[in-house]
Amino acid sequence: MEIERKRRERRNLIVLTGAAAVLAVAVNFAFTALNTHIKNRKKKVVPGSNVRINLSASEILRLADHIVAKSKEVHDTIASVPLDKVTYSNTILPLVELEAQQFPLIQSCAFPKLVSASEDIRKASTEAERRIDAHVSGCSKREDVYRVIKAFTARGDWMSSEVKRFAQYLVQDFERNGLNLTSTKREELQRLRAQIDELSMRYIRNLNDDNTFLLFHDMELVGLPPEFLKSLEKTENGKFKVVLRSHHVSPILELCKVGSTRKSVAVDYGRRCEVNLSVLEKLIQLRHKLARLLGYSNYAEYAIDRRMAKSSTKVFEFLEKISGSLTESASKELSLLKEMKRKEEGQIPFGIEDLPYYVKKIKEQQFGLDFGVVKQYFPINLVLSGIFKICQDLFGLRFEEVVGAEVWHQDVQLFSVFDLSSGELMGYFYIDIYSREGKYGHTCVVSLQNGSWINSTRQIPVALLISQLQKEVDGRPGLLRFSEVVNLLHEFGHVVHHICNRAPFARFSGLRLDPDFVEIPSLLLEKWCYESSSLKLISGFHQDITKPIDDEMCKSLKRWWCSFSALKLKQEILYCLFDQIIHSSENVDMIGLFKHLHSKVMLGLPMLEGTNPASCFPRTAIGYEATCYSRIWSEVFAADIFAMKFRDDIFNQNAGMHLRNKVLAPGGAKDPLEILSDFLGREPSIQAFVDSKAHSV
């Protein structure tokens, strides 16, 4: 749904008439036939991949119906097994095989909506996904299948730890749909879920429909670049219209030199959509009811139970410990920021709305980094080849382009991945990184085929990396902003994780991992963007790529990344604590709670008067409810791995292979805490992360 809202396609139509139209159609037909013949002749089979490329709209819908029919057949067969005759072969194995076989087919239906230039195909892809999702939802509520799986788990006849984990996950999925409850309570559960969905949609609509704006004279917007001002709508009396959306608010808070403007924008942005406060309060009440119905004391416990953190209590302890460890560094940062504001604006008190502006200003003064100049050192192709080099060397891999493979656009490339030592084919990944209309607008990795190892048969993984980067134009190479370089390396970490995952079952393969764990390897790999030796591998001046960025620029980028990070992180912890408290306690005064937490966590900085916490950070309401902590959690343990294994030698191949085999390979078949403890030789620690923030000023 979110993807569909963000994506719009515009078609250019050329209208011809008479003889010209006939000729154009004939010529086009001839060239199409010739190109199709050439493409088919050159098309290479991709051994081991069951992903179907370039399906038509009707083929997508037919495949979706086939997937549903086959799945129903398997579930019906399992449901018919007598409870005293259950075995691994007639209950668990059919579902294991079904998931492995159907996942690439499901993705063949679903991924075109992200990449296809055809609106008809995108619509068919969306409809196919809706049909499949509806069927999967129905299967998760089948009491007849649940009884059979439950009978198998009751026997305790585990062939392996993976089988036990798989069966237990199945039972938990069924029971989270209320199949262990009475029919009356099950109906209540479905009503609660329907009400939660309706309120969630209302919350999103309220935010999307909010068109609040402010008007400013040009003198009130001093510091904003001319191109930003040109993008603003102007009223008849010459005032600029600032809409309270992030694409207007963020530049003003970071760049506007007029403190009263920053405060006005921050205050109104913080109090927008006040109706959502009551919506969020109702959502929280319903979530607590749902959690209690399923046997949990509150919604936070329900949301965290199957994650690495395990309990809300542990999350609280984690957040409080991190926040406390940041206090000294954050206090130093705040003192410097207050002093800078006194010099620029006199005795006007420093407020939370001043944070983005003065952090940016003090960083610019301290490091003198011109990111326009930095960008000149990151041509796309060079960055990609450098990322390939880092990952190949670190993890013992070899990437090889599959020339002539069938793809959905001429810009798309397919690469095979081999183990460097044995030559074993480990998997494939597609790269579709250049901007075009109709395509998903963000950088991400999509699992197209999950790996598995069933009955001595190996299915290899296939991944897709999507982005919207600017291609080379008129001989000028596409250049990446430094933030795009970091993001690309992060997402490539997911590609490597996907390919190196050796879990035996598709359910635990690919990126279907614990959300508290899945980001750790990618956040770890980001750190190679701030080390001189690796930065030089992925950089080169676009007019002479033999000249990478110099040592001084490398050091400045690292200092820039580390500096003034404690206060920003405390602000994120504030939101996480708020999220955790409202989802673990009943009848909370949200505004009172937020005001109390703000002063406590943000070193006495008061909350902006009138702030509506329900609209300040919508992740609490939709998408990350009770789990906002997860990004910080992952970053902390990525820092622990880096400090222990790579800080002294970022190209330590032994450590890289150890990471591949101990952390990436198990996938979701093993408990994440066990995985990290096994790799580190001890339990994960927050100390390395705390130490990294000790010198933020």
Side-chain angles (χ1 to χ4, degrees):
M1 181 181 65
E2 182 67 14
I3 292 170
E4 293 304 308
R5 285 201 303 274
K6 291 178 179 176
R7 185 185 65 240
R8 297 290 184 270
E9 182 184 34
R10 297 290 181 265
R11 287 184 173 181
N12 297 318
L13 301 178
I14 301 175
V15 181
L16 300 174
T17 60
V22 175
L23 179 61
V25 170
V27 171
N28 182 62
F29 180 82
F31 274 105
T32 300
L34 178 61
N35 287 336
T36 300
H37 173 71
I38 291 172
K39 284 180 182 177
N40 287 338
R41 188 180 63 197
K42 290 183 176 179
K43 189 189 305 180
K44 267 190 180 178
V45 174
V46 182
S49 173
N50 296 312
V51 181
R52 301 186 185 181
I53 306 297
N54 292 326
L55 296 178
S56 67
S58 60
E59 287 172 331
I60 287 172
L61 294 176
R62 283 200 300 273
L63 179 57
D65 291 340
H66 170 76
I67 289 167
V68 169
K70 178 62 179 175
S71 175
K72 183 178 183 304
E73 178 187 323
V74 171
H75 282 83
D76 287 346
T77 301
I78 293 171
S80 68
V81 176
L83 299 185
D84 60 344
K85 302 291 185 183
V86 294
T87 65
Y88 170 74
S89 297
N90 63 20
T91 57
I92 303 300
L93 181 60
L95 290 175
V96 166
E97 292 177 331
L98 184 71
E99 285 193 6
Q101 293 162 4
Q102 290 210 324
F103 187 81
L105 303 182
I106 292 170
Q107 295 302 83
S108 298
C109 293
F111 92 90
K113 75 180 185 295
L114 304 175
V115 299
S116 178
S118 164
E119 185 175 2
D120 288 342
I121 288 176
R122 293 200 303 272
K123 285 180 178 178
S125 177
T126 302
E127 170 59 19
E129 190 172 42
R130 186 198 65 76
R131 293 181 191 180
I132 294 168
D133 285 349
H135 168 72
V136 171
S137 177
C139 288
S140 68
K141 299 180 180 71
R142 287 192 58 164
E143 190 171 1
D144 51 358
V145 178
Y146 166 66
R147 283 197 302 267
V148 173
I149 302 298
K150 187 76 171 175
F152 174 79
T153 59
R155 291 182 58 179
D157 186 16
W158 312 119
M159 297 176 61
S160 67
S161 60
E162 291 86 2
V163 170
K164 180 179 180 180
R165 192 172 178 85
F166 183 90
Q168 289 176 337
Y169 264 69
L170 286 177
V171 170
Q172 288 171 5
D173 287 343
F174 281 122
E175 293 183 352
R176 283 191 163 217
N177 279 299
L179 293 189
N180 59 330
L181 303 176
T182 64
S183 58
T184 303
K185 288 186 175 181
R186 202 179 304 170
E187 289 172 5
E188 184 184 352
L189 182 68
Q190 297 312 314
R191 281 197 300 273
L192 285 171
R193 285 224 163 97
Q195 290 174 314
I196 288 170
D197 288 345
E198 193 279 324
L199 280 174
S200 300
M201 290 296 296
R202 189 189 307 175
Y203 180 96
I204 292 168
R205 281 197 304 270
N206 290 342
L207 273 183
N208 289 340
D209 294 345
D210 187 279
N211 294 314
T212 309
F213 63 88
L214 300 174
L215 298 176
F216 295 102
H217 289 293
D218 54 357
M219 294 304 294
E220 296 174 291
L221 297 173
V222 174
L224 277 302
E227 58 269 21
F228 176 77
L229 295 176
K230 286 179 184 177
S231 72
L232 300 178
E233 183 183 333
K234 258 189 168 183
T235 63
E236 291 181 1
N237 60 1
K239 286 189 174 182
F240 291 96
K241 182 178 178 181
V242 172
V243 179
L244 294 181
R245 299 291 174 94
S246 59
H247 66 286
H248 280 185
V249 172
S250 295
I252 289 173
L253 294 182
E254 282 193 358
L255 301 171
C256 185
K257 294 183 178 181
V258 184
S260 58
T261 300
R262 294 196 305 271
K263 184 164 186 175
S264 176
V265 168
V267 167
D268 283 78
Y269 185 68
R271 64 162 59 124
R272 75 197 191 287
C273 207
E274 291 180 354
V275 67
N276 267 351
L277 185 60
S278 63
V279 175
L280 181 58
E281 287 171 344
K282 290 176 185 174
L283 267 173
I284 300 300
Q285 290 172 6
L286 293 174
R287 286 173 184 158
H288 284 315
K289 283 183 180 179
L290 181 144
R292 286 197 300 271
L293 198 58
L294 292 172
Y296 295 90
S297 57
N298 55 61
Y299 187 80
E301 293 297 338
Y302 164 78
I304 300 169
D305 180 45
R306 292 173 66 174
R307 301 171 75 111
M308 186 177 168
K310 300 299 185 192
S311 72
S312 182
T313 301
K314 191 168 182 179
V315 172
F316 273 122
E317 291 173 355
F318 170 81
L319 292 172
E320 292 281 7
K321 194 176 290 186
I322 296 294
S323 182
S325 71
L326 295 170
T327 297
E328 184 177 348
S329 296
S331 297
K332 291 177 182 176
E333 291 177 5
L334 186 56
S335 295
L336 288 172
L337 295 172
K338 285 180 175 179
E339 179 61 28
M340 177 168 272
K341 179 167 182 177
R342 274 195 293 272
K343 289 179 181 178
E344 187 163 311
E345 299 185 53
Q347 296 304 311
I348 302 173
F350 189 94
I352 195 69
E353 73 278 4
D354 294 316
L355 205 54
Y357 176 77
Y358 283 104
V359 166
K360 183 176 178 63
K361 190 176 181 69
I362 205 166
K363 278 189 171 189
E364 287 173 347
Q365 287 186 4
Q366 285 187 355
F367 307 120
L369 270 175
D370 183 338
F371 281 94
V373 173
V374 172
K375 184 177 180 179
Q376 306 299 311
Y377 285 87
F378 294 106
I380 292 175
N381 289 335
L382 185 62
V383 171
L384 270 178
S385 66
I387 289 175
F388 280 20
K389 172 70 173 168
I390 290 169
C391 292
Q392 288 179 125
D393 289 354
L394 198 60
F395 301 115
L397 304 172
R398 175 169 61 86
F399 304 146
E400 185 177 299
E401 184 173 3
V402 182
V403 179
E406 182 180 14
V407 292
W408 52 91
H409 189 274
Q410 62 185 10
D411 290 339
V412 179
Q413 294 172 282
L414 174 65
F415 291 86
S416 49
V417 182
F418 298 92
D419 177 76
L420 190 61
S421 176
S422 68
E424 175 196 358
L425 175 64
M426 296 186 64
Y428 299 97
F429 63 90
Y430 292 89
I431 288 186
D432 186 357
I433 58 173
Y434 294 114
S435 178
R436 62 177 181 272
E437 285 191 61
K439 187 180 168 188
Y440 181 56
H442 299 274
T443 302
C444 67
V445 172
V446 179
S447 299
L448 295 182
Q449 178 171 294
N450 281 349
S452 63
W453 186 273
I454 306 166
N455 292 335
S456 302
T457 301
R458 174 74 179 158
Q459 178 169 279
I460 59 175
V462 183
L464 163 62
L465 173 59
I466 300 174
S467 193
Q468 283 274 43
L469 306 175
Q470 293 304 310
K471 198 178 178 184
E472 177 178 312
V473 179
D474 299 329
R476 297 192 304 274
L479 301 174
L480 297 179
R481 298 190 301 273
F482 185 66
S483 59
E484 291 174 324
V485 175
V486 176
N487 200 15
L488 200 56
L489 190 54
H490 175 102
E491 295 302 330
F492 208 79
H494 286 309
V495 171
V496 171
H497 197 172
H498 186 285
I499 298 296
C500 293
N501 187 331
R502 309 287 279 184
F505 298 155
R507 170 169 288 230
F508 302 135
S509 186
L511 299 175
R512 298 172 74 179
L513 309 174
D514 184 330
D516 286 352
F517 174 74
V518 70
E519 293 294 332
I520 292 176
S522 285
L523 286 166
L524 170 66
L525 205 54
E526 279 187 24
K527 299 184 185 300
W528 272 251
C529 287
Y530 302 99
E531 300 296 325
S532 292
S533 53
S534 48
L535 263 177
K536 290 183 178 183
L537 271 180
I538 60 176
S539 67
F541 189 61
H542 69 99
Q543 292 177 335
D544 182 1
I545 61 172
T546 64
K547 296 179 179 177
I549 61 175
D550 58 33
D551 289 332
E552 193 55 43
M553 190 179 288
C554 290
K555 290 176 184 175
S556 293
L557 283 169
K558 187 169 186 176
R559 289 198 302 267
W560 169 83
W561 170 56
C562 294
S563 70
F564 287 87
S565 55
L567 262 176
K568 183 181 177 183
L569 188 56
K570 267 187 164 287
Q571 192 171 27
E572 189 174 349
I573 289 171
L574 161 66
Y575 299 151
C576 294
L577 285 169
F578 176 82
D579 170 56
Q580 204 61 215
I581 291 171
I582 63 174
H583 283 105
S584 59
S585 307
E586 300 263 12
N587 304 316
V588 175
D589 172 8
M590 292 193 185
I591 293 176
L593 171 65
F594 191 61
K595 187 177 290 188
H596 166 74
L597 285 175
H598 202 289
S599 180
K600 176 187 173 184
V601 176
M602 297 305 294
L603 307 176
L605 284 178
M607 177 185 85
L608 281 170
E609 206 56 47
T611 293
N612 167 23
S615 293
C616 283
F617 34 98
R619 290 191 310 165
T620 289
I622 308 295
Y624 293 88
E625 52 272 18
T627 61
C628 289
Y629 71 88
S630 190
R631 194 204 65 80
I632 301 176
W633 179 278
S634 300
E635 189 176 345
V636 165
F637 296 125
D640 191 23
I641 292 173
F642 183 80
M644 184 170 182
K645 299 290 186 176
F646 297 103
R647 182 163 54 195
D648 297 330
D649 180 4
I650 62 168
F651 293 114
N652 184 333
Q653 291 183 342
N654 287 333
M657 287 301 296
H658 196 209
L659 181 77
R660 172 182 149 184
N661 295 326
K662 293 286 189 178
V663 177
L664 307 185
K670 191 175 177 181
D671 181 80
L673 194 57
E674 287 182 30
I675 289 174
L676 291 187
S677 298
D678 187 27
F679 174 68
L680 294 168
R682 56 166 172 76
E683 284 196 4
S685 165
I686 70 167
Q687 195 56 48
F689 181 80
V690 170
D691 292 344
S692 72
K693 302 299 177 184
H695 307 292
S696 64
V697 290

